[in-house]
Structure formats: structure tokens, C-alpha cells
Amino acid sequence: MAVPTFASAPPPPLAARARAVGGSPVRDILAVTARPEVINFAGGLPAPELFDAEGIAAAFGAVLAETPARALQYSTTEGEPVLREALAGRMSVRGLPTSADDLLVTTGSQQALSLLATVLLEPGDTVLVESPCYLAALQAFAFAGARVVAVPGDDDGPDPSALDALVERERPKFFYTVPTFQNPTGRTMSAVRRAAVAAVAVRRGVWVVEDDPYGELRFEGERVPWIAAHEGVADRVVLLGSFSKVMAPGLRVGWLRAPGVLRRACAVAKQAADLHTPTVNQLAAARYLADRDLDAHVGRVAGVYRARRDAMLAGLGDALPEGSSWTRPEGGMFLWARLPSSYDTTELLGEVVRAGVAYVPGAPFYAGGGEVGRATMRLCFVTQTPEEIGEGLRRLRVGGGWSRSSPRP
Ligand code: PMP
């Protein structure tokens, strides 16, 4: 029997929010930085040789040998109680009294961002962010259809009086901030500004999303208290944390500390997204905390990162054109450079990658685009050895085509 033929109708289109998130030329260029010969300052990758693979393997081995039925089974959406207890203990000794019930375990802190976007944002709602801002947070908020408005700031972080005025004018659902060793700038918000941000949240009634994946990676200086630890903000500050930068990003274990109503809404959204974060990873992370000394491990990692930061700081003066400036982070993984305004780091990237080194151009980190970030770049200083960093900076000078005595127009 002959098979009837039909005209082929195309399948329905993607949702508008997915269509709006297109490809990017920068992403295409940076794809080639996976080649081993490229010294990649663009990635945000913790140094893999510093992972405590032996300790993590022992933790997985123990939970799989001793409690396999539990480790390999479905778990609750809120997260494994033994992990939440341990996390609550760590927060409490750092000056933020926390109980296990205050926490939701998330699949990396990135998931916390998308859960918050899901439960807080209607399309068209306004979100305030730092300027510049963590790129994948901008993406998560864009996916939820948010209107993103940048709060101006300086080396001490966002300006609280500008924040106050924007909260009054824009009526945002939340203000998103990475107060310590920010991605992308490496800057840390001063204690005075944190108190002022907390005061704005109290006075104006706005959520503050405090994202802190880097805070433990401090090389020098004094720890600055979380915004979440300030008086009167318990019902409006959400604190996000993650093991990605201190244990290993492949674990995908993060957490969210939030007041009950918001935390329960996030748990329902998480159920729809992935039911729960992998049980075995949660139990292994908890076992690691019980059997090993994570703080000592982080101390060792911070020592190595500090030497790498110093290598980058020492070489930047020769690597960038005359008139450039850059941040000097006290911890974390990134620093931020600003070239004279005649330069366009997006345009220069192709040439620089051909010279065998990569950075991330700064423009995409600015909400709303425009000219403001044209001459900026993010450099990750933790993935290479000091020698490789020196070589990468030499290539940057060559690839950029500038020399200190004769800056390009
Ligand atoms: N927030 C910030 C500021 C980050 O830099 C990152 C990772 N680059 C994340 C959240 C997400 O990290 P993860 O999901 O691995 O915890």
C-alpha cells in the first residue's frame, strides 16, 4: 500500500524568552580557548591540581560503602539533613546564627539564582544589579523576563544612596549583589556600605540576594560581615553559598538561606526543576566536612591563589597599554582591568587569542550594554602557575599590539 504523503508543517517555535537568548560572537571566540596552547585567563575555573581528590574520593567511598541504600536513593527536595546541619554550623560560627531548617540545598548556587528568578519575578519586573554584574546572573534574570537596571558604584562596591534612589524610583523585586571578591571585578563591598545596603532593604522593603561563592578565598585583610547578618534583615535577605570554589565545582552543591515563605517557594520550584540535588554528592560533601578539615584545605588553596594573583599584578603594568588601571582583589579568582577609552576589548579579543591568550571582554557584564564597558576585561588569575601567567601576559601585550611607549589610537 502506498504511504500517503503530507506537506511537512514545522514544529512550533521556541518560547520568546529562549529565542531572545541567542548566540554570541564572544562565546564563539572563547570556544577556541579550550585548546591547550591557549593560556586562558577567560575561564572561571578553580585550579584543578588543588582539588582534594583523595579526600573527596574517600568521602564518596565511605558513604557508598556504609550507606549505599541511602546514598543512591531519591532524597528530599530541601536537602540531606546531615549536610544542612553542617552548613548551618559553619554559618553560625561565622556570625550568622542559622539552623538546618533555614537552608535549601541547591544544585550549585547558579540554581539558586534561577529558582529565585522563578519565584520572585513576573515578566517585566525590575531587578537591580551591580555594575558590572556576574554574567550568568544577568542570564538567569533575562530568562525570567526581568528588566535589569544597574546600580552605579566604585571600588568599594555599589553606591548605597544610588541604590536607595533606584529602589524608590524603579520599585524592583530585588537587588542582586556579590559583596565579596565580586565576579567580575574582584572588589569587596566595605562594611559601611553593607550596613547601608541593609538599611535600604529595611527602610524601602526590597529583597537583597547576597551571592557569596568566593568569600572563603581570602588571601589578606579582614573578613567583612555578610549583609544577611545585619539587624532587621532576616525576612528580606537571601544568602547564597557554594562548594564550587572551595571544594569542587563538579559536585554541584550549593545552598540558599532564606526566610520561610521564600525558601518554601524555592523548594517547590526546585522540585519542578530537578527534584533534588544528587544525594550521593550531598552525603559525600557532608562526610568530607566531618572527616577532613575544609578550612585548612581552603587556606592552602588561598596561599597558592595569592601567589598567582601577585604574579598577575606584577606583570600587568607591562602587559597593558599606558593609562590602564586594574583592581587589586584581596581574594577570590578575578581581577578587572580598564584600558584607555580608545580601546575596544571585544574587537581586540580575536587578535589576542591568535597570540595564544584569552580574557573575557567586559561589555557583556554591564546590564543594558552601551559603551560603558567597552575598554574593560576580566582576568582570572587562579588557573595557571605564576610562570604561565607571566607568559600569558607577555602574549597579551604582543596580541594587543600595543607597547607602553606608543599606545594605539
Ligand atoms: N555566583 C557567582 C558570582 C559565580 O561567580 C558563580 C560561578 N561562576 C556562581 C554563582 C555559580 O556557581 P555554582 O553554581 O558552581 O555554585
Side-chain angles (χ1 to χ4, degrees):
M1 203 174 79
V3 179
T5 54
F6 301 99
S8 165
L14 299 177
R17 74 181 81 82
R19 268 177 282 152
V21 184
S24 112
V26 169
R27 218 179 299 155
D28 295 344
I29 298 175
L30 290 178
V32 308
T33 63
R35 293 197 320 247
E37 67 273 20
V38 177
I39 295 178
N40 190 0
F41 298 141
L45 306 182
E49 72 279 15
L50 300 179
F51 293 149
D52 181 7
E54 185 270 322
I56 293 173
F60 272 92
V63 298
L64 286 168
E66 293 167 22
T67 52
R70 184 168 158 211
L72 298 174
Q73 190 54 278
Y74 282 117
S75 176
T76 59
T77 302
E78 285 74 11
E80 282 295 316
V82 62
L83 176 61
R84 288 195 289 144
E85 284 291 345
L87 293 171
R90 288 177 68 81
M91 288 186 177
S92 299
V93 300
R94 285 163 175 74
L96 184 60
T98 301
S99 80
D101 287 343
D102 298 327
L103 301 174
L104 172 68
V105 175
T106 57
T107 303
S109 51
Q110 189 63 35
Q111 182 180 51
L113 292 173
S114 64
L115 296 177
L116 289 165
T118 301
V119 305
L120 286 173
L121 299 175
E122 314 283 355
D125 275 352
T126 300
V127 170
L128 298 183
V129 301
E130 295 167 302
S131 182
C133 175
Y134 169 48
L135 208 49
L138 292 177
Q139 250 167 5
F141 306 153
F143 244 112
R147 213 182 120 250
V148 178
V149 176
V151 179
D154 56 26
D155 289 350
D156 276 349
D159 172 359
S161 46
L163 174 69
D164 190 52
L166 283 168
V167 173
E168 189 186 18
R169 194 180 83 203
E170 304 284 348
R171 295 275 136 222
K173 280 285 179 64
F174 60 84
F175 168 51
Y176 169 71
T177 175
V178 182
T180 308
F181 316 138
Q182 194 226 15
N183 181 358
T185 58
R187 74 185 179 185
T188 291
M189 199 193 299
S190 67
V192 171
R193 292 233 178 144
R194 291 177 195 223
V197 168
V200 171
V202 171
R203 198 168 59 245
R204 298 265 182 219
V206 66
W207 290 103
V208 174
V209 176
E210 180 176 21
D211 187 6
D212 186 29
Y214 301 104
E216 306 257 313
L217 287 173
R218 178 173 280 285
F219 321 149
E220 61 192 33
E222 289 298 305
R223 202 177 156 269
V224 191
W226 282 306
I227 298 170
H230 287 76
E231 187 88 22
V233 299
D235 63 348
R236 61 199 66 201
V237 176
V238 188
L239 178 63
L240 313 186
S242 173
F243 281 143
S244 288
K245 309 305 185 321
V246 293
M247 214 183 271
L251 286 172
R252 309 307 303 130
V253 173
W255 55 91
L256 171 162
R257 179 190 187 276
V261 176
L262 182 58
R263 197 182 61 252
R264 282 189 289 277
C266 286
V268 172
K270 180 173 168 63
Q271 203 158 34
D274 66 354
L275 296 182
H276 63 81
T277 296
T279 318
V280 61
N281 295 15
Q282 294 189 55
L283 291 178
R287 186 66 182 242
Y288 187 96
L289 291 177
D291 290 355
R292 307 277 167 149
D293 186 344
L294 179 63
D295 294 334
H297 170 71
V298 174
R300 283 190 294 276
V301 172
V304 175
Y305 283 8
R306 177 192 186 125
R308 296 178 179 191
R309 176 207 60 181
D310 290 345
M312 191 167 273
L313 289 173
L316 271 176
D318 285 336
L320 295 179
E322 187 93 54
S324 301
S325 60
W326 50 89
T327 57
R328 187 186 180 284
E330 292 188 330
M333 294 177 33
F334 304 108
L335 63 76
W336 186 249
R338 180 176 290 281
L339 278 52
S341 58
S342 54
Y343 289 92
D344 183 329
T345 54
T346 305
E347 259 176 28
L348 282 168
L349 182 64
E351 206 49 54
V352 164
V353 168
R354 271 190 288 284
V357 64
Y359 56 77
V360 190
F365 293 90
Y366 288 89
E371 288 292 288
V372 59
R374 231 176 113 250
T376 60
M377 63 172 73
R378 189 192 74 177
L379 295 161
C380 175
F381 54 75
V382 305
T383 324
Q384 291 85 16
T385 64
E387 296 70 35
E388 289 164 339
I389 289 170
E391 171 59 18
L393 292 176
R394 199 189 58 77
R395 294 181 191 178
L396 182 56
R397 178 167 50 80
V398 171
W402 49 68
S403 74
R404 299 215 67 202
S405 51
S406 58
R408 262 168 36 156

